[in-house]
Amino acid sequence: MRQSPWKMAAYAAIVVFGILAAIPNLLSRDQLERLPSWLPHKQVTLGLDLRGGSQLLLEIDSETVLRDRLAGLASDVDGALRSARVAARSAKVEGNAVVVELSGDASAREALRAVSELSGSVATRFGGAGRPSLTIDMQGDHRLVVSPTAEDIASRNDRAADQSLEIVRRRIDEAGIAEPTVMRQGANRILVQLPGVQDPARIKALLGSTARLTFHLVVPQQATGHVPGTMLLPHQGSDERLRVRQAVLLQGERLVDANSSFDQRTGEPIVQFRFDGPGGRRFAEITKRNVGNPFAIVLDGKVLSAPVIREPILGGSGQISGSFTAESARDLAVLLRAGALPVPLKIIEERTVGADLGSDAIEQGITTGLIGFGLVFCFMVLLYGPWGLIANLALATNVTLTFAALSLLEATLTLPGIAGIVLGIGLAVDANILINERIREELARGQGTRAALEAGFKRAYSTIVDSNVTTLIATTMLFVLGAGPVRGFAVTMGLGIVISMFTAVSIVRVIMNLWIGSGPVARPLRIGPIFGLRLIPDNTRFRFMRARFLGIAVSAVLSVASLGLMIAPGLNYGIDFVGGTLIDVRTEQPAQLDELRSGLSALHIGEVALQEAGSAHQVLLRIERQPGDDQAQVAATERVRSALSTIAPGSSIERVEIVGPKVSGELMEAGILAVVLSAVAMLIYIWIRFEWQFAIGAIVTLVLDVTKTVGLFAVTGMDFNLTAIAALLTLIGYSVNDKVVVYDRMRENLRLFKTMPLRTLIDLSINATLARSIYTSATALLSMLPMAVAGGSAVDNFAVAMVFGIVVGASSSVFIAAPILLFLGEGRLRPARPKEPITA
């Protein structure tokens, strides 16, 4: 068959460009800078679990947004009614509304007209006018109720999140953190990633402070009792409380600069600030009128200092002194320069990975990945000889193009992402196995070389598409509903599957066509094992359906037992799903768990579970979820950090994960939803592509496969967390992928053998695809086995579950899915045959 030179040139260009785009990942920074400017320079970004650092998930305080909106609305309503000369009592907040009691002779119509002018249209993201911002109702003749609409509150939350995002970014930049990532996540959250930051305490303090700076007059000490229009505020660095005027004379938003310095007289750290033009004039006016009076500088409701104004300050600048350290003075200057947050931010999730743990993870991931690649490489050569080498060339091209795509997309590579690449190595050669086995089958039927090649690719292609689509469905659900590093797995897995359609099909087809040539006589095409002995003999005639009752019975018993194990002893839920804190500690001496447990129990933070993690020097601490909100989890973790320095001197914290109750609940819901939606999507796809009997058989088998895998988590006590959900979703895709291979042959045989009994046809189809089913399962198993054995604690629950699930999925295709299809299809897909005695 003559190859189009344009197609070959296009394929070559794609491969060459992919190699050029992937090469920067092998170069150092210095080598990268010396590359010509016309070559790609982007490198894959490593996730924090690989390079070390901290990740914080912040949430804006939506309750404060609503409270501020209602307070401002109450003031606006009072002003509108006064302007319209409508007699009414002062507006007050009740629930989520502002309520005004009109006087007896007040006109309700006039009140409605005055207040309705306060309502505007909520602007949409695209700049258009949306729904009204207020709902205004009269309850009876004298009760006016004004409520902000849901759209108005959502819009204000959105604006607060946008403003907070910029202020958080400025604060982190001012703090000198290299290569931070700050981005919106969802409607009201901000994700902050800080590479290289091992103890984020200082950053949390910077981000947790609203930094609202105000200036107030101090009430003279001789004033006794409560003075109207005043408030008592704590004084930083002392137990003293100062009474200040509630009226804000000047706000920090007028500041244009702030820097830390040292007082020339005392040598104490201070913060110097400077106002803009209007702010400077207002500051001069205030100090002129209040010479001799104390003047309070207040930050977030706490008095920083209260100096006495000795003389008018006309230059528009001043200084803040107090009980500062050099670092706290620098941090305050950072906060003032960056500006005040519109609303408070809460830390609802925190994850920290030490640099050493990250480098260990990279080493383990690369080592186990290379071993997996080597095992698959040798297996393919053993199966197909020279054509196995061609499949391996396509596999190497697939990995290269995957890294190229990750670089060009500026995607983040995580440890689960490495697992996705490794698993993709096993799945990418599935297409080559399907094609090679189909070509061998066509050659055995007496087809010529070109006809066998054409028929092999054509008939294998639909199976390849169906199997890859089912895997992509699960991967997509994981990406959409997953979070954190697990999404990195979905990205690498999805890219590998899509790219394999090009490398394993298109490129291999071109090479095979070039081999047989375009002359009148095609060069012979021999696809066989390197030693001439096939692992699975041709033309097997096993009567699998004779064991259908035994297979279903054994599977049902194991699944029921797994459900029982989920109840007792139950699953070991990770903190992703139940909340709490996980701390990975490395000790100088072999860890004494009893001493650690005793020392931590004195903190009274609830149950603290300890276990060795890989060595006597590595200990995992699990702290139960603390009563209260998300901030309670962070506070408990800080107490443990402080205590460890005393309990285990010289110890270092390698990893910290804090998940608050709100996030853990959301992650649990998202995980369950992802599994359910994946199963439903598979059902719909197989129903459309095959028949409903095939779809029901696949889904019932899928449920049995998943329950057994969950039972494995219950038996072994492995963490059931987001990574476990990733394993389940991948197994859902893989399990259906394996069944599609058998189903596709059954569908083909249903068209070829119109009168063959369904039971015989199913046995025939399974035997015809037995070799390729076992071989494809073997490649996936070989790719994951090294990671399951030596991949480390971060991915062992994924890799072990995958190895188990591959074995279960492969066997269930034959002994569960096929018998269910026989039960459902007999009499529908084929006329029912007379009953015969069961002999085996």
Side-chain angles (χ1 to χ4, degrees), residues 5-45:
W6 293 107
K7 181 187 291 186
M8 294 177 62
Y11 288 173
I14 292 172
V15 173
V16 170
F17 179 76
I19 293 172
L20 292 176
I23 282 177
N25 294 294
L26 302 176
L27 304 179
S28 65
R29 292 284 185 183
D30 293 337
Q31 293 171 327
L32 201 60
E33 291 175 358
R34 291 197 293 269
L35 284 179
S37 59
W38 53 271
L39 285 175
H41 283 66
K42 292 181 180 179
Q43 292 180 310
V44 174
T45 302

Side-chain angles (χ1 to χ4, degrees), residues 631-786:
Q631 301 307 305
Q633 323 307 317
V634 178
T637 305
E638 294 305 321
R639 293 175 64 190
V640 172
R641 282 180 183 271
S642 300
L644 282 174
S645 61
T646 303
I647 302 170
S651 62
S652 61
I653 294 178
E654 299 291 311
R655 175 168 55 118
V656 176
E657 296 184 13
I658 305 173
V659 180
K662 188 171 185 179
V663 172
S664 62
E666 292 173 357
L667 293 178
M668 174 72 87
E669 291 175 6
I672 295 172
L673 185 62
V675 172
V676 172
L677 289 181
S678 293
V680 171
M682 303 285 182
L683 175 69
I684 295 172
Y685 182 80
I686 296 176
W687 198 318
I688 293 172
R689 289 289 292 159
F690 295 88
E691 299 282 348
W692 68 266
Q693 293 91 347
F694 290 87
I696 297 299
I699 294 303
V700 171
T701 310
L702 196 59
V703 171
L704 295 173
D705 290 349
V706 169
T707 53
K708 294 185 191 70
T709 307
V710 175
L712 173 73
F713 279 94
V715 168
T716 60
M718 292 187 301
D719 275 3
F720 193 79
N721 51 20
L722 273 181
T723 308
I725 292 293
L728 290 181
L729 286 172
T730 308
L731 284 173
I732 287 174
Y734 178 81
S735 180
V736 175
N737 176 324
D738 192 70
K739 287 151 187 62
V740 162
V741 174
V742 182
Y743 279 177
D744 191 70
R745 180 53 65 94
M746 292 179 185
R747 177 176 58 184
E748 181 181 331
N749 285 339
L750 283 169
R751 296 167 183 164
L752 291 175
F753 306 107
K754 302 291 187 182
T755 60
M756 181 180 291
L758 185 58
R759 177 173 168 178
T760 305
L761 185 141
I762 289 176
D763 277 336
L764 175 68
S765 301
I766 295 175
N767 279 287
T769 58
L770 185 62
R772 70 196 66 176
S773 295
I774 292 177
Y775 293 160
T776 54
S777 298
T779 56
L781 186 68
L782 289 173
S783 66
M784 291 305 299
L785 194 57

Side-chain angles (χ1 to χ4, degrees), residues 810-823:
S811 59
S812 67
S813 298
V814 175
F815 296 107
I816 310 299
I820 291 174
L821 180 63
L822 176 60
F823 298 149

Side-chain angles (χ1 to χ4, degrees), residues 358-654:
S359 61
D360 290 346
I362 294 176
E363 183 179 349
Q364 288 177 324
I366 292 175
T367 302
T368 55
L370 289 175
I371 294 173
F373 183 91
L375 291 175
V376 173
F377 185 98
C378 294
F379 186 72
M380 291 300 291
V381 172
L382 180 66
L383 285 182
Y384 301 117
W387 295 108
L389 288 173
I390 299 299
N392 288 328
L393 174 63
L395 181 59
T397 305
N398 176 280
V399 175
T400 301
L401 294 183
T402 299
F403 273 98
L406 290 172
S407 301
L408 295 174
L409 294 173
E410 299 184 7
T412 300
L413 181 64
T414 61
L415 188 55
I418 293 178
I421 293 174
V422 173
L423 180 59
I425 290 172
L427 298 183
V429 295
D430 281 7
N432 297 113
I433 292 174
L434 291 169
I435 291 167
N436 288 347
E437 291 296 318
R438 198 69 200 228
I439 292 173
R440 288 186 69 258
E441 193 174 326
E442 297 299 326
L443 289 171
R445 290 177 180 174
Q447 293 264 34
T449 300
R450 287 199 181 92
L453 186 65
E454 184 68 21
F457 273 95
K458 182 178 180 180
R459 292 179 177 174
Y461 190 74
S462 63
T463 307
I464 294 169
V465 170
D466 285 334
S467 59
N468 283 342
V469 166
T470 55
T471 306
L472 280 173
I473 288 172
T475 304
T476 302
M477 292 297 175
L478 183 60
F479 179 80
V480 172
L481 297 172
V486 171
R487 296 187 76 185
F489 168 82
V491 170
T492 56
M493 186 75 178
L495 286 174
I497 292 170
V498 173
I499 292 171
S500 72
M501 294 293 292
F502 170 69
T503 57
V505 179
S506 301
I507 290 180
V508 171
R509 186 169 190 171
V510 167
I511 295 174
M512 284 187 164
N513 279 320
L514 289 174
W515 169 261
I516 65 174
S518 57
V521 179
R523 185 179 300 172
L525 188 64
R526 181 185 177 277
I527 301 177
I530 190 170
F531 298 118
L533 179 65
R534 284 179 58 77
L535 299 179
I536 307 297
D538 294 327
N539 302 318
T540 57
R541 299 183 183 277
F542 298 116
R543 300 180 68 178
F544 292 102
M545 290 303 96
R546 285 189 171 185
R548 62 189 183 278
F549 295 110
L550 177 62
I552 291 177
V554 171
S555 178
V557 168
L558 291 176
S559 291
V560 171
S562 296
L563 292 174
L565 289 169
M566 291 168 60
I567 299 172
L571 293 171
N572 180 26
Y573 290 105
I575 64 168
D576 289 341
F577 293 157
V578 296
T581 303
L582 176 70
I583 303 177
D584 192 342
V585 180
R586 187 188 297 272
T587 59
E588 284 188 343
Q589 304 297 325
Q592 301 297 320
L593 297 186
D594 290 340
E595 292 181 8
L596 283 171
R597 188 176 290 108
S598 175
L600 294 175
S601 64
L603 299 178
H604 304 293
I605 54 175
E607 182 182 356
V608 180
L610 293 86
Q611 69 180 79
E612 287 189 0
S615 74
H617 295 268
Q618 204 81 17
V619 181
L620 280 180
L621 311 180
R622 295 174 185 272
I623 306 170
E624 70 175 25
R625 192 173 77 186
Q626 302 296 301
D629 60 8
D630 299 291
Q631 301 307 305
Q633 323 307 317
V634 178
T637 305
E638 294 305 321
R639 293 175 64 190
V640 172
R641 282 180 183 271
S642 300
L644 282 174
S645 61
T646 303
I647 302 170
S651 62
S652 61
I653 294 178
E654 299 291 311

